[in-house]
Amino acid sequence: MENIYIEGSHTNFFVPTVEFNAETGVCVLSGESFLEDTIEFYDPLVQWLEEYTSEIKKPMTFEIKLTYFNTSTSRSILDLLNILKEYEDDGGEIIVNWHYDEDDIDMEEDIEDYMLDTGLEINMIPFDEDEF
Amino acid sequence: MQSQSLFTRMTGKNVLMSFTGPFDTEVLSIFGKNIENSISQNKKLNKTIFKVFIELAQNVSYYSLEKEMTKKGEKAGVGTFIIQDFNDYYYFVLGNPIDERHEAILRDKCSRINSYDRDGLRAYKRELRKLPPGERGTGNIGLVQAALVSRNPLDYTFIEINDSQSFYIVAVKINKD
């Protein structure tokens, strides 16, 4: 199974950095997400997670370090987290860490709401933006 | 369009930025970038205005009754947005023509959003997010997000254009403090 690496950019649209590693099981989604075509971008990530959780089945650590995402992206994030929850329910080992700016109350609420929606335990890890 | 010029006259004070035309992806991204970089010296405040802009402008792009084909061959909704600068707040105003039959639905949505406290808004956003994209009503998630991010109610009005069309205006205050 191939790894995914997408280098993020902040130009007219905001492409998040994606590092999904099939050998280590560590997946990182960071930066900002506001895309011209959200579904086109996230579909391969959804497929990758589906393949990993059905074929590789090793422990996973999912790290989210997004500082901004629009509501269109928020649907795709929900899809990713739902796959992780299904994996956990099927006996998969999964740790989800979500790093967020300690001053960003909107983001803090978003993470809490994702936990409510998915039933997945997400470790909320605040950081100081100036030191990030 | 008569209602648009009326709209511009009504809101023509303290204007920092304005645009009338198709809200295609290029327009969204260029204005988004300007808002993010140049509205004020306060980066976090700019980001809040940016978040409101992105959510509401996408609604114009999808739902405006008036569509224009862009150079890239996309069909984008036509509308107007204005950002005004007042002492204590920025005011983000956005308008587009709608089918008169959708006025009641939109009025209900805006009124529903304004009736909720923050927890209610969060629950409503979660409810809308679970619907598949493109399903009726899902576009209003942007309105909910604008209310959540700005921490202010939506101001909205409808101006009759003719028997079959209205001009829908939605505005949000973004406090400077």
Side-chain angles (χ1 to χ4, degrees), chain A residues 65-103:
Chain A
K65 299 172 184 172
L66 289 172
T67 52
Y68 168 69
F69 55 89
N70 62 347
T71 51
S72 174
T73 295
S74 82
R75 281 204 177 92
S76 295
I77 293 174
L78 182 63
D79 292 340
L80 298 177
L81 295 176
N82 277 330
I83 296 169
L84 300 180
K85 176 60 180 166
E86 275 173 33
Y87 184 48
E88 189 181 64
D89 289 346
D90 289 344
E93 253 182 79
I94 173 87
I95 294 169
V96 184
N97 296 322
W98 194 316
H99 306 258
Y100 67 101
D101 176 0
E102 62 187 1
D103 295 330

Side-chain angles (χ1 to χ4, degrees), chain A residues 21-35:
Chain A
N21 190 315
E23 285 108 56
T24 61
V26 176
C27 299
V28 184
L29 181 62
S30 59
E32 296 171 286
S33 182
F34 159 53
L35 299 147

Side-chain angles (χ1 to χ4, degrees), chain A residues 20-131:
Chain A
F20 283 11
N21 190 315
E23 285 108 56
T24 61
V26 176
C27 299
V28 184
L29 181 62
S30 59
E32 296 171 286
S33 182
F34 159 53
L35 299 147
E36 191 164 11
D37 190 333
T38 310
I39 292 170
E40 187 181 86
F41 184 87
Y42 279 93
D43 256 3
L45 309 189
V46 167
Q47 282 166 22
W48 192 96
L49 279 187
E50 278 171 348
E51 193 182 334
Y52 184 96
T53 55
S54 61
E55 289 172 21
I56 308 285
K57 295 184 177 177
K58 287 198 293 194
M60 286 188 84
T61 304
F62 203 85
E63 304 272 356
I64 303 178
K65 299 172 184 172
L66 289 172
T67 52
Y68 168 69
F69 55 89
N70 62 347
T71 51
S72 174
T73 295
S74 82
R75 281 204 177 92
S76 295
I77 293 174
L78 182 63
D79 292 340
L80 298 177
L81 295 176
N82 277 330
I83 296 169
L84 300 180
K85 176 60 180 166
E86 275 173 33
Y87 184 48
E88 189 181 64
D89 289 346
D90 289 344
E93 253 182 79
I94 173 87
I95 294 169
V96 184
N97 296 322
W98 194 316
H99 306 258
Y100 67 101
D101 176 0
E102 62 187 1
D103 295 330
D104 192 344
I105 296 162
D106 294 341
M107 187 65 80
E108 193 177 328
E109 289 178 350
D110 270 327
I111 306 168
E112 288 169 2
D113 289 347
Y114 276 124
M115 283 198 263
L116 276 175
D117 269 348
T118 60
L120 194 67
E121 193 185 321
I122 301 174
N123 300 313
M124 298 174 65
I125 305 169
F127 63 82
D128 182 342
E129 196 191 29
D130 300 330
E131 293 169 13

Side-chain angles (χ1 to χ4, degrees), chain B residues 7-145:
Chain B
F7 167 54
T8 309
R9 274 208 308 277
M10 278 164 59
T11 55
K13 290 179 194 164
N14 308 67
V15 173
L16 275 185
M17 202 182 276
S18 72
F19 171 78
T20 297
F23 279 46
D24 59 47
T25 48
E26 204 172 333
V27 165
L28 291 190
S29 63
I30 290 168
F31 279 104
K33 208 173 174 61
N34 270 291
I35 291 168
E36 206 192 1
N37 294 330
S38 64
I39 289 279
S40 77
Q41 299 297 315
N42 182 334
K43 267 171 67 180
K44 283 195 172 152
L45 185 57
N46 291 355
K47 196 76 180 188
T48 302
I49 301 168
F50 170 83
K51 289 177 185 176
V52 170
F53 168 75
I54 290 300
E55 298 302 335
L56 294 183
Q58 279 180 337
N59 276 1
V60 175
S61 184
Y62 298 146
Y63 300 113
S64 173
L65 193 61
E66 195 179 334
K67 302 275 194 226
E68 251 183 44
M69 201 60 102
T70 65
K71 274 181 267 172
K72 285 168 83 180
E74 27 174 329
K75 216 172 169 190
V78 173
T80 295
F81 88 82
I82 292 170
I83 299 176
Q84 292 167 285
D85 184 2
F86 294 100
N87 282 345
D88 302 328
Y89 61 89
Y90 292 101
Y91 201 44
F92 183 84
V93 190
L94 192 127
N96 61 273
I98 56 161
D99 187 320
E100 187 273 332
R101 287 170 301 180
H102 296 152
E103 182 178 322
I105 301 166
L106 264 173
R107 203 182 277 280
D108 279 355
K109 293 283 177 191
C110 291
S111 153
R112 185 169 170 185
I113 288 167
N114 285 352
S115 73
Y116 287 132
D117 62 8
R118 193 159 186 87
D119 286 343
L121 277 176
R122 286 169 67 181
Y124 188 34
K125 179 178 152 187
R126 288 173 42 224
E127 190 186 308
L128 293 174
R129 188 166 60 194
K130 282 182 194 161
L131 300 171
E135 193 150 301
R136 183 190 282 265
T138 51
N140 297 300
I141 194 169
L143 285 175
V144 181
Q145 184 71 355

